[in-house]
Amino acid sequence: MAEHITEQEQIETLKRWWAENGRGIVTGVALALAGYFGYQWWQGDQRAKAEAASDLYQSFVEAVSANNNQPDNKQLTTAKTLAEQLKSDFGSRIYASQASLRLAAIAADSNNLEAAQQQLQWVFDNSGETALQLLAKRRLAAVVAARGNPDEALELVAGTVPPAFAALYSETRGDILKQKGKDASAHAAYEQALTELLPEQAGSAQLLRLKADSLAAASGDGMPQEESSEPTSGGED
């Protein structure tokens, strides 16, 4: 009889506990399941978007290749349309930025600097990849300078950048300063770029050295000459 009473008490205790905590447990399980299946859905959605963006970019690359470096034809029009779709539907993905960078290069090659600037500005404003933003900003500076705004271009390549871009930015500053006729400053920028080259960038050293040396020869080493300490003729003995 005592055992029966104990069992009944245990059952009643369990009922009370379930009444107090059962709803919370059910809710917790439901939330956990919802979170799990929600994450699975999100992963599937991201994979689908990545595949769609990749397929669209592949079509863009094929259209650009078929363009055969012509300034304007049907394939280039197709490539531009695909690039706009990439920017509209997948603007935060790397494919959209890569397409814009490619179109900017095509525009610059055909001397359409306004179109090149627009494409590069889009990458700088919208890319989620820091490296692509820095690359676009450097090219943007070159285009802005070519359009006759060297001071604005210098502002774009001012300041500190990661080591992988330091030499490139210094070289660009040198190019813009040379355009402004400031040979001494341009020479210093090229020399700085040489010191900033990483081992894997050694292939750029020869061109940088040629740029620096050409200015050194043209401007007397690119630096003001110091006054001689020797007495001039006609001075006191």
Side-chain angles (χ1 to χ4, degrees):
M1 185 68 178
E3 292 180 0
H4 176 69
I5 293 174
T6 301
E7 290 177 0
Q8 285 296 112
E9 289 175 346
Q10 291 175 345
I11 292 172
E12 290 301 323
T13 300
L14 181 60
K15 287 180 178 180
R16 285 194 301 270
W17 182 87
W18 181 256
E20 294 172 0
N21 302 285
R23 182 176 297 179
I25 292 174
V26 171
T27 301
V29 171
L31 288 174
L33 289 173
Y36 172 77
F37 287 113
Y39 179 69
Q40 292 296 315
W41 174 87
W42 179 83
Q43 281 192 316
D45 181 64
Q46 291 299 304
R47 281 195 296 269
K49 287 180 178 179
E51 290 173 1
S54 177
D55 291 343
L56 199 58
Y57 181 72
Q58 182 60 37
S59 297
F60 165 83
V61 171
E62 292 172 357
V64 169
S65 299
N67 176 53
N68 222 5
N69 294 323
Q70 296 301 311
D72 192 17
N73 66 16
K74 184 177 179 180
Q75 292 298 331
L76 182 56
T77 299
T78 298
K80 290 178 178 178
T81 300
L82 292 169
E84 288 304 315
Q85 187 176 348
L86 276 167
K87 290 193 286 186
S88 174
D89 297 346
F90 308 103
S92 63
R93 294 184 177 273
I94 192 172
Y95 298 112
S97 296
Q98 287 177 327
S100 286
L101 288 173
R102 189 74 178 272
L103 287 182
I106 293 172
D109 287 343
S110 60
N111 206 34
N112 188 350
L113 298 181
E114 181 179 2
Q117 182 172 345
Q118 290 173 351
Q119 294 290 348
L120 292 168
Q121 188 68 54
W122 187 92
V123 177
F124 179 65
D125 291 338
N126 295 277
S127 178
E129 297 289 332
T130 301
L132 289 180
Q133 282 185 318
L134 289 168
L135 180 61
K137 191 178 182 183
R138 203 289 307 177
R139 293 182 182 178
L140 182 60
V143 169
V144 168
R147 296 190 72 190
N149 300 297
D151 291 332
E152 180 183 344
L154 282 173
E155 291 180 6
L156 288 169
V157 288
T160 303
V161 295
F165 289 88
L168 184 60
Y169 270 57
S170 293
E171 180 182 4
T172 304
R173 282 194 295 273
D175 293 342
I176 299 169
L177 288 165
K178 181 180 178 182
Q179 177 184 330
K180 286 170 62 68
K182 297 187 175 182
D183 288 356
S185 296
H187 177 264
Y190 291 141
E191 290 289 351
Q192 180 180 347
L194 282 164
T195 67
E196 293 169 333
L197 286 173
L198 299 179
E200 59 269 25
Q201 298 170 332
S204 301
Q206 184 175 4
L207 177 58
L208 275 170
R209 175 48 61 196
L210 287 172
K211 287 184 176 182
D213 289 350
S214 68
L215 288 180
S219 59
D221 291 333
M223 300 297 292
Q225 296 295 314
E226 293 183 1
E227 293 184 3
S228 173
S229 59
E230 307 224 348
T232 59
S233 60
E236 294 183 0
D237 291 334

